[in-house]
Amino acid sequence: MYPSLREFVQALDDAGHLVRIDEPVSPLLEVTQIADLVSKSRAPGPYSASSKTTDPRFHDRGGHALLFNDIEGCDFPVLINAYGSYKRTEMALGCADHRGFEGVGDTIGNLVKPEPPRSLGEAIAKARQFAPLLKIGPKRTMKEGACQEVVKTGGEIDLTRLPILRCWPLDGDLGAVGYPPDTNAGIPGIDPQRHDLRGRYITLAGIHTIHAEDKDAKKPSSHNVG
């Protein structure tokens, strides 16, 4: 397991699973085209017995993780295809040396349907087995979190500076699916001259929310990540 994405990226680099791209790259079609080609190529080995058994045909696919250091219009690097191979996902889950995904599945199965202890020794062993669950709750940080090194508020907020990708040429083109050609220009809040904003979607984001009643609580009792 890795305490942060930064450490995971370094581990991928050390293991030969990361390619750094320093040339300028556009978030409009170019990043996704590169990622699509790389993700279908052969990934660095070795390949676990678990992945070979689970997916004998494609266990060696996934290419390299890609770190784009110069995305046009963006102030920070972009990591993509980080979990695109069995090996990298096993590394992220900390199970690369423990029967891969099968080991994780067995661990979860034992936690979900535990056998009742038949002796004091088994009770102690069960306590040790469940002890890690005490650490899985969300941890709240105020100002020292790495994600809070740069904070923008008010008029500083500009979502167009995010490396939001356009994946396919006709994404967001309403004219391509039968609407009048000028339909895109009539979308409220979108500058008709900003053609670069069309067809760019924030997908698979993890949003952490709490109940409104907990908004002033130092340790809110409600948590949801969706």
Side-chain angles (χ1 to χ4, degrees):
M1 297 292 191
Y2 303 91
S4 72
L5 182 61
R6 185 174 298 167
E7 280 82 1
F8 182 54
V9 169
Q10 186 59 56
L12 293 178
D13 199 8
D14 294 340
H17 283 259
L18 181 75
V19 172
R20 298 176 184 269
I21 301 174
D22 297 323
E23 293 78 10
V25 180
S26 172
L28 306 179
L29 305 180
E30 192 171 8
V31 169
T32 52
Q33 182 182 31
I34 295 172
D36 184 57
L37 292 172
V38 170
S39 66
K40 295 173 181 176
S41 66
R42 187 178 179 87
Y47 314 112
S48 68
S50 174
S51 65
K52 293 177 182 179
T53 301
T54 302
D55 192 355
R57 185 178 179 186
F58 297 114
H59 69 274
D60 63 342
R61 300 293 97 180
H64 287 75
L66 304 172
L67 185 64
F68 294 92
N69 290 314
D70 190 359
I71 298 288
E72 294 175 5
C74 180
D75 304 323
F76 45 85
V78 171
L79 177 68
I80 197 167
N81 202 39
Y83 311 106
S85 74
Y86 282 99
K87 177 65 175 182
R88 292 195 292 279
T89 306
E90 289 168 351
M91 290 174 62
L93 294 175
C95 65
D97 300 323
H98 302 282
R99 297 179 56 230
F101 297 152
E102 292 181 4
V104 173
D106 290 344
T107 299
I108 295 174
N110 291 332
L111 293 174
V112 173
K113 295 183 178 180
E115 293 291 333
R118 293 168 294 182
S119 66
L120 178 60
E122 287 191 5
I124 294 175
K126 287 293 181 182
R128 291 173 179 169
Q129 178 185 0
F130 283 91
L133 295 179
L134 299 175
K135 301 178 181 180
I136 67 174
K139 296 177 177 61
R140 183 179 178 85
T141 60
M142 299 304 292
K143 295 183 178 180
E144 70 274 15
C147 63
Q148 296 171 310
E149 290 178 356
V150 178
V151 177
K152 295 183 182 296
T153 60
E156 297 177 308
I157 299 173
D158 181 5
L159 295 182
T160 66
R161 300 300 295 174
L162 294 176
I164 308 172
L165 306 178
R166 183 190 296 167
C167 300
W168 304 101
L170 297 181
D171 278 352
D173 186 349
L174 299 178
V177 291
Y179 287 88
D182 61 346
T183 301
N184 287 332
I187 300 177
I190 298 296
D191 183 344
Q193 303 303 316
R194 293 295 304 273
H195 299 292
D196 59 312
L197 298 181
R198 171 181 63 80
R200 300 172 71 177
Y201 304 97
I202 298 177
T203 60
L204 303 181
I207 307 299
H208 176 240
T209 58
I210 63 174
H211 195 281
E213 295 178 354
D214 288 335
K215 64 183 179 65
D216 296 321
K218 291 185 177 180
K219 294 183 177 181
S221 58
S222 59
H223 293 281
N224 183 65
V225 179

